[in-house]
Amino acid sequence: MLSRVAPWLASRNETAPDGLTVRILEGADTAQLRALALEDPVANVFILSQLGSHGSASPTAAGARIFGVFDGGALLGACWAGANLVPVQLDPGLAPYIAQAVHRAGRRYASIFGPAEPVLALHAALEPHGHLAHEVRAEQPLMTISGEPDIPANPHLGFGDMADFELILPACAAMFEEEVGYSPFLGGEDFYSRRVAGLIRQGHSLVHIDGGRVLFKAELGAVTPDVSQVQGVWLNPAIRGQGLSAGYMAAVVKLAQTFAPITSLYVNHYNLRARASYERVGFQQLGTFATVLY
């Protein structure tokens, strides 16, 4: 069937010449979406965490939607479309279907992230519609660990507290700017500030504060009963080069394991220092992600 998928310009509830359809998922599609995502619970931790939070595949109050490609009543693949695009078990051959649907939705997206093949296929399919990338990170090892870290954990890392919000927020912003090249406060501070505060309140902010400054921080950006995904790893520049990052990451694993047995993350392939640190802790590569920044 996939060999017959042409670059058909899909829209909501239209039927392609080969019988496939694309539409926005509704509450009744929740079980199918969850079953699809559970085919790879590590790669799909983002969408599974969203389903855990919202309880439904229907559009969220904030306006995020999930587009699905169907063959009759069977869900073949899907894509979260909120501030970012996140493919879910999407065969690269189905990317043109999703690309046309999300383009017709009339939104701009900050990024696409997830397994490399569908991410890069979506990027290629969106480009002719004027969605031009600022940067393409085509190879990001997806790494996981379960069980005890291979090295001792730094005992000073703990869960963030709202009392320290004014210290944690600038550290998060510094990490973001280092990572993507621009401030998360462009267009206003409200959205990013609410995001950071939400992570703290959920117990998903991990931080070491000493002497009124953040020395290290990370977040659990997505959490399910099976997997947590670490994001936003940042070491204060004042203490870099001292071999501290691996001990902090071992502590991240220990704290993340209070939520789920598997801890995952993805990292740019060219960041050899970070990759070596993660491997020292015991992380092993499971797959490859990609991120397209707009």
Side-chain angles (χ1 to χ4, degrees), residues 190-200 202 220-222 231:
D190 186 59
F191 177 81
Y192 189 72
S193 296
R194 284 189 285 111
R195 167 67 173 164
V196 172
L199 289 165
I200 296 172
Q202 289 176 290
L220 304 180
Q231 299 175 353

Side-chain angles (χ1 to χ4, degrees), residues 110-199:
S111 73
I112 315 171
F113 66 85
E117 289 189 2
V119 164
L120 298 176
L122 277 172
H123 164 54
L126 282 166
E127 198 167 33
H129 299 297
H131 298 262
L132 304 179
H134 164 69
E135 184 179 355
V136 178
R137 300 177 179 182
E139 185 180 348
Q140 297 175 306
L142 173 64
M143 308 181 77
T144 63
I145 183 174
S146 59
E148 286 291 315
D150 291 345
I151 64 170
N154 188 315
H156 299 295
L157 191 70
F159 293 105
D161 190 283
M162 282 302 296
D164 297 314
F165 175 75
E166 297 300 329
L167 295 175
I168 295 172
L169 180 61
C172 292
M175 177 283 306
F176 186 100
E177 191 160 354
E178 284 184 27
E179 181 67 18
V180 301
Y182 59 86
S183 171
F185 299 139
L186 289 178
E189 294 189 15
D190 186 59
F191 177 81
Y192 189 72
S193 296
R194 284 189 285 111
R195 167 67 173 164
V196 172
L199 289 165

Side-chain angles (χ1 to χ4, degrees), residues 33-294:
L33 178 64
R34 181 177 285 109
L36 185 73
L38 284 171
E39 292 177 8
D40 190 338
V42 174
N44 296 317
V45 63
F46 173 83
I47 194 66
L48 288 167
S49 70
Q50 292 295 325
L51 287 176
S53 297
H54 301 292
S56 173
S58 60
T60 71
R65 293 169 284 185
I66 304 169
F67 291 88
V69 183
F70 288 82
D71 185 0
L75 180 63
L76 302 182
C79 184
W80 168 275
N84 308 291
L85 297 175
V86 186
V88 182
Q89 296 300 101
L90 186 69
D91 188 281
L94 299 177
Y97 293 72
I98 293 292
Q100 180 64 15
V102 299
H103 171 67
R104 287 190 181 183
R107 297 184 60 167
R108 307 301 296 184
Y109 304 96
S111 73
I112 315 171
F113 66 85
E117 289 189 2
V119 164
L120 298 176
L122 277 172
H123 164 54
L126 282 166
E127 198 167 33
H129 299 297
H131 298 262
L132 304 179
H134 164 69
E135 184 179 355
V136 178
R137 300 177 179 182
E139 185 180 348
Q140 297 175 306
L142 173 64
M143 308 181 77
T144 63
I145 183 174
S146 59
E148 286 291 315
D150 291 345
I151 64 170
N154 188 315
H156 299 295
L157 191 70
F159 293 105
D161 190 283
M162 282 302 296
D164 297 314
F165 175 75
E166 297 300 329
L167 295 175
I168 295 172
L169 180 61
C172 292
M175 177 283 306
F176 186 100
E177 191 160 354
E178 284 184 27
E179 181 67 18
V180 301
Y182 59 86
S183 171
F185 299 139
L186 289 178
E189 294 189 15
D190 186 59
F191 177 81
Y192 189 72
S193 296
R194 284 189 285 111
R195 167 67 173 164
V196 172
L199 289 165
I200 296 172
R201 291 191 180 100
Q202 289 176 290
H204 295 173
S205 169
L206 314 177
V207 64
H208 176 204
I209 297 174
D210 183 63
R213 62 176 181 166
V214 173
L215 298 184
F216 176 91
K217 69 95 191 170
E219 289 82 44
L220 304 180
V223 177
T224 73
D226 302 309
V227 183
S228 61
Q229 186 179 84
V230 180
Q231 299 175 353
V233 176
W234 183 80
L235 185 68
N236 192 305
I239 60 170
R240 292 178 187 175
Q242 300 178 29
L244 300 174
S245 60
Y248 277 121
M249 286 305 302
V252 167
V253 171
K254 296 289 288 183
L255 294 175
Q257 287 175 345
T258 65
F259 295 96
I262 299 173
T263 306
S264 71
L265 56 81
Y266 56 100
V267 58
N268 295 317
H269 78 283
Y270 52 79
N271 194 342
L272 300 181
R273 182 171 295 179
R275 290 173 62 185
S277 177
Y278 301 149
E279 288 169 358
R280 185 180 167 203
V281 173
F283 282 89
Q284 296 182 340
Q285 184 170 353
L286 182 69
T288 302
F289 266 31
T291 300
V292 178
L293 299 171
Y294 291 105

